[in-house]
Amino acid sequence: MSVEEITTETVRPVARAVLGQRWTDLAFLHWPVEPERVAPLLPPGTVPDVFDGVTYAGLIGFRMERVGFLGGPGVPYLGTFAETNVRLYSVDAQGRRAVVFRSLEAERLVPVLVARLSLRLPYMWARMRLTRKGDELAYVSRRRWPGPRGATTSIRIRVGEPIAEPSPLEHFLTARWGLHTRAWGRTRHLANDHPRWPLHRAELLDLDDTLLAAGGLPGLDKPPVSVLYSPGVPVIFGPFRPPPR
């Protein structure tokens, strides 16, 4: 199997925007994990994507803003909310790198229900808060529905200097141009398109988390090996435009 290269710009430009949104104030926390440990957690037809022999589990907090459909404006109120996800890294038989979500906490119930019903994504309704004071950001979440109720996370970071040239590992963890999900009887790949990530160094000030364990990843008790921040990017999802022959 030939695996696509890691690129800072999408390798699958979206031809028509089905879903648009903006991801803002992202905190990326990552832990190395043995590939054989996470392989059973991935959809059929995908395997762990690895970097120097290991794969990674990510805990990412951010604000989703201006979710809209078919190129239209963002939906008022329901289209903006805090979100925190637990994700893994996958590659399929066509060599497409992507992410696999183990959970996605969100503070708006309607988007949670729509995503669960349409794409079978493991969205969870949670009580959430994202606050910023100077260069410090705090992401707090407590799950409401479905179970396990009470799964929580509390992340606090300090934003550092911009990264002029991210390392190969930092590109591997952030430059992801799609997701894999099991929906309606088969594993599906959904392409996304956005500008190159603006990344900053970040310092982890505090972490109290049970979302990783609730997502099938217990025992990640050591500090994360990578902590990054991004002010965000606009994003579109839709069918990708094949390259000209």
Side-chain angles (χ1 to χ4, degrees), residues 9-156:
E9 306 288 340
T10 183
V11 293
R12 288 178 292 277
V14 169
R16 175 173 53 87
V18 174
L19 180 66
Q21 54 202 241
R22 182 176 179 86
W23 301 334
T24 301
D25 282 336
L26 297 97
F28 296 92
L29 280 60
H30 283 96
W31 291 260
V33 187
E34 300 86 355
E36 58 272 18
R37 178 180 175 187
V38 304
L41 305 178
L42 302 181
T46 68
V47 297
D49 196 4
V50 298
F51 184 92
D52 287 344
V54 299
T55 191
Y56 287 82
L59 179 66
I60 291 87
F62 64 104
R63 180 178 288 109
M64 182 86 78
E65 296 181 341
R66 301 195 298 274
V67 176
F69 300 92
L70 302 175
V75 178
Y77 180 72
L78 293 176
T80 296
F81 48 88
E83 181 171 323
T84 298
N85 61 62
V86 173
R87 73 188 198 186
L88 302 173
Y89 296 90
S90 55
V91 61
D92 61 23
Q94 298 181 48
R96 296 175 297 192
R97 288 187 149 106
V99 300
V100 171
F101 293 108
R102 295 297 297 164
S103 66
L104 305 100
E105 316 294 306
E107 64 176 331
R108 301 278 187 259
L109 179 57
V110 171
V112 166
L113 296 175
V114 170
R116 290 180 71 92
L117 290 172
S118 61
L119 295 172
R120 298 296 193 258
L121 288 169
Y123 263 92
M124 315 290 180
W125 186 31
R127 184 173 287 107
M128 307 187 75
R129 185 173 70 254
L130 195 169
T131 57
R132 179 164 191 160
K133 185 176 181 180
D135 59 358
E136 293 186 13
L137 290 98
Y139 310 76
V140 178
S141 175
R142 176 174 291 274
R143 187 174 299 173
R144 305 171 75 172
W145 177 90
R149 291 196 62 178
T152 64
T153 195
S154 176
I155 306 166
R156 190 163 61 94

